[in-house]
Amino acid sequence: MKKYEFLYRLEKALSSMDESDRNAAMRYYEEYFEDAGAENEQKVIEELGTPEELAKTIMNDADEACCRKNENADSHNEVQCGDFVDMDLPAFKSIQGKMVNSALQIERGDAYGMEWSCDNPLAKLEYRICDGTLYYQEKITPKKKSGVNLFNSNGGRLIVYLPSETFDNIAVKNVNGSIRIEDLMADTLAAGTVNGSVTVSASSFEKTIMESVNGSISGVEMTTNEFKGKTVNGSIKVDGTFNGNVNMSTVNGSIRVTTSLGENEYNYKLSTWGSIRINDKKVGLDNLIGRGDASINNGAVHDMNISAVHGSVKIATAQ
């Protein structure tokens, strides 16, 4: 699928929306493709999913609808490049944000605050808090030369500070930049980037989604129920307590899982071109085309599904 086909189908799927809202959504995703660049077109399409699924998400975004209807609750701020600090943000329970060339870090602080450091004169950060949600977006203004749009790819860093509270939904995306989250408690985490790593440490979630196209995924001292980790070019390494289904996949990279649950508390469906080991014991049979597969039914409540096309799989459980 090409970008123009994706956007055509998206606009068609959004036909029931108010025209101004539909146009705003289309402008956002047109800019999203432009920010990523033509060389990342297919990666962005993979990240966004089908146009119809994306349209459903847009139309069901009740918080954004609230912001459009209640102007008094929507305090809009815009910051140009440089060093910026705001440590007096109103309290919020969720985050929805997108960075283009700046790395993102979420960490524990004494209050709700944010800090942005960037030396790209073409970059600006927009943010607002509405109905208990922090919305932020980094925008890059193209620089034209001989009629061609050129982007300055200098990256910065956004740090979001959160007090010791339990949050609802954390949904953050990057195009060219890493994501790092430390000491966070929330119902759901969805963290994804195109070019960069995703790292989570000492955090607890009901549902966790960590995705990258070109970068590794790392989780340290995690506690979560449902877990999904996906990358194309990069490894996945996680440890902690996984009290639900575990799904992981990579094309070029290895997968390492260390869980505090026992070996028999999961059913396993594992596949790779490399070796498969559970507690240092090789499992599964190499099939005729050289691919290793293992399917183990322990009659357990939880399933662990892991696929590494070019890489090995290693699982360590409580003994």
Side-chain angles (χ1 to χ4, degrees):
M1 187 189 310
K2 299 293 185 181
K3 177 183 76 172
Y4 68 86
E5 181 183 356
F6 184 96
L7 294 173
Y8 171 79
R9 285 171 55 182
L10 178 61
E11 186 171 22
K12 185 176 181 181
L14 293 173
S15 60
S16 61
M17 286 184 68
D18 176 83
E19 182 178 0
S20 61
D21 294 336
R22 181 174 66 252
N23 291 340
M26 292 303 301
R27 283 195 301 272
Y28 176 89
Y29 286 100
E30 287 168 0
E31 291 178 0
Y32 196 91
F33 276 101
E34 291 175 358
D35 291 344
E39 68 277 9
N40 291 313
E41 182 176 305
Q42 290 304 312
K43 297 173 185 176
V44 172
I45 290 174
E46 291 175 6
E47 175 195 351
L48 296 176
T50 70
E52 291 73 23
E53 290 172 344
L54 178 60
K56 186 178 296 185
T57 299
I58 294 171
M59 291 188 291
N60 288 338
D61 194 340
D63 287 336
E64 287 284 12
C66 167
C67 286
R68 289 193 298 267
K69 294 176 182 178
N70 188 356
E71 294 182 358
N72 293 329
D74 186 355
S75 178
H76 183 273
N77 300 277
E78 181 176 298
V79 183
Q80 299 295 330
C81 74
D83 293 327
F84 159 77
V85 178
D86 186 346
M87 296 302 297
D88 192 27
L89 295 177
F92 52 86
K93 296 295 289 182
S94 298
I95 299 175
Q96 291 190 25
K98 172 200 164 187
M99 303 305 289
V100 179
N101 291 323
S102 293
L104 168 68
Q105 186 165 329
I106 300 177
E107 62 182 55
R108 186 66 63 208
D110 295 329
Y112 296 87
M114 61 196 308
E115 178 180 347
W116 187 46
S117 177
C118 177
D119 61 2
N120 183 352
L122 303 178
K124 66 180 179 180
L125 178 70
E126 296 180 351
Y127 70 98
R128 68 185 188 276
I129 296 173
C130 174
D131 195 31
T133 298
L134 167 65
Y135 297 92
Y136 68 80
Q137 180 178 7
E138 181 184 27
K139 292 187 174 182
I140 310 294
T141 303
K143 179 172 58 177
K144 289 191 175 183
K145 184 177 181 180
S146 300
V148 179
N149 286 340
L150 302 175
F151 280 90
N152 186 329
S153 60
N154 294 339
R157 179 176 297 276
L158 173 68
I159 304 176
V160 179
Y161 298 99
L162 301 177
S164 181
E165 302 284 347
T166 299
F167 293 84
D168 294 335
N169 303 311
I170 308 296
V172 291
K173 294 182 178 181
N174 274 22
V175 179
N176 299 309
S178 62
I179 297 174
R180 186 176 186 87
I181 297 171
E182 302 176 0
D183 195 15
L184 176 64
M185 294 182 294
D187 291 339
T188 63
L189 169 70
T193 183
V194 178
N195 298 309
S197 61
V198 181
T199 304
V200 174
S201 61
S203 297
S204 177
F205 311 103
E206 289 293 323
K207 180 178 180 180
T208 306
I209 301 173
M210 299 167 63
E211 298 182 336
S212 177
V213 178
N214 297 307
S216 62
I217 291 173
S218 176
V220 181
E221 297 181 1
M222 295 183 61
T223 300
T224 187
N225 289 337
E226 182 181 350
F227 180 86
K228 178 182 178 183
K230 181 180 179 181
T231 182
V232 177
N233 299 307
S235 62
I236 300 176
K237 185 177 182 180
V238 295
D239 71 69
T241 301
F242 301 93
N243 290 311
N245 294 335
V246 176
N247 295 277
M248 302 183 190
S249 67
T250 182
V251 177
N252 299 307
S254 60
I255 296 180
R256 303 285 185 266
V257 183
T258 301
T259 174
S260 63
L261 274 66
E263 179 178 339
N264 293 331
E265 295 187 61
Y266 299 97
N267 304 311
Y268 301 91
K269 187 174 181 181
L270 315 171
S271 63
T272 179
W273 284 101
S275 64
I276 301 173
R277 293 182 180 274
I278 299 178
N279 295 323
D280 291 326
K281 179 182 179 181
K282 188 174 181 179
V283 299
L285 297 174
D286 296 335
N287 58 35
L288 294 177
I289 62 173
R291 184 173 179 83
D293 294 286
S295 182
I296 303 172
N297 187 348
N298 291 319
V301 176
H302 311 312
D303 295 324
M304 187 175 291
N305 301 313
I306 295 178
S307 172
V309 178
H310 301 294
S312 60
V313 173
K314 186 175 182 180
I315 300 169
T317 71
Q319 301 296 318

